[in-house]
Amino acid sequence: MKELHDIAASLINADGSCRDINFEAPTWEGVEDLMANLIGSYGNASATDGEGRTVATLPNALLETARDIGSVHLILREGSGLIKFLQVFVFSEEDGAPFVELTFFPDDVERTPTLRGDFIEWANTMRARLGARRYYARYENVSWQFGDTGANSGVFLVSDEADANT
C-alpha cells in the first residue's frame, strides 16, 4: 500500500468534490460478485444504462447491460456500512474488459474512530471481489490519467498489487 496523503482527512475533506476509486484489471466475474454483494448491502438500489434507461438491479441484468450496451450506472442508497451512498460505474472497454469506478462524497462516509483502517479494509474487499490487481483512491479529477499518482493527480492511496494467484 502506498499512502500518498492522509487517508482519513482525504475522505472527509468537504471540498465539494467526490472521491473515486478505480480498479486495475477487474474481471467480469468480479463485477458480478461485487454488484450482487453491494445490492444486498444497501436498502435502495437503482440503475440506468448509458442511454439513461432503467435497468433491473439484478446482478446478471446489470452485467449484461454493461457488456452489451457498454455501460451501467448503479446508485446505492441507505447503506449500513462505511459508505452510506455509493455510485458504481461499469463500462466495457474497447477490448471488452470491464472498467469500474466507485464514487461517493465526503458526507456519505461514516466517521469512525478507525476511519483510515476501515477504509483500507473496505477498499481491499472491493478490490478482492472484483479480482482486480490494485486500486487508486482519489479526489475527483476529470483530467486524471489512469495510474497517475503525481503530485497533482488527487490520488491519496494506491493498493499493493494483489498476489498473481488471487
Side-chain angles (χ1 to χ4, degrees):
M1 179 183 77
K2 186 175 181 183
E3 187 171 344
L4 302 170
H5 300 282
D6 182 272
I7 295 169
S10 296
L11 289 170
I12 63 173
N13 177 18
D15 67 342
S17 70
C18 62
R19 302 301 176 267
D20 296 326
I21 305 175
N22 298 101
F23 298 87
E24 183 179 316
T27 66
W28 283 112
E29 295 79 17
V31 170
E32 184 175 22
D33 180 45
L34 178 72
M35 288 194 287
N37 180 270
L38 288 175
I39 290 169
S41 300
Y42 286 80
N44 183 310
S46 62
T48 56
D49 66 15
E51 298 176 9
R53 295 181 297 230
T54 299
V55 177
T57 54
L58 303 172
N60 58 343
L62 293 169
L63 188 68
E64 289 172 17
T65 300
R67 285 181 131 168
D68 298 342
I69 304 293
S71 67
V72 70
H73 176 205
L74 176 62
I75 299 171
L76 301 159
R77 296 179 178 89
E78 302 169 18
S80 59
L82 185 65
I83 310 295
K84 305 299 179 200
F85 179 89
L86 181 67
Q87 297 181 67
V88 181
F89 298 90
V90 179
F91 300 90
S92 182
E93 299 275 17
E94 286 183 24
D95 66 359
F99 174 85
V100 178
E101 181 172 274
L102 304 181
T103 299
F104 55 91
F105 286 90
D107 287 348
D108 300 320
V109 177
E110 180 70 29
R111 274 116 170 116
T112 65
T114 55
L115 180 55
R116 178 186 177 281
D118 294 344
F119 178 76
I120 291 169
E121 180 180 342
W122 179 81
N124 282 339
T125 299
M126 300 299 109
R127 185 209 51 77
R129 285 197 178 284
L130 285 167
R133 285 198 284 262
R134 73 170 48 95
Y135 63 83
Y136 300 86
R138 61 189 183 83
Y139 283 78
E140 173 186 31
N141 178 349
V142 295
S143 62
W144 183 69
Q145 296 293 314
F146 191 88
D148 176 17
T149 59
N152 296 319
S153 68
V155 174
F156 56 88
L157 175 66
V158 179
S159 69
D160 289 331
E161 187 163 345
D163 183 274
N165 298 323
T166 304

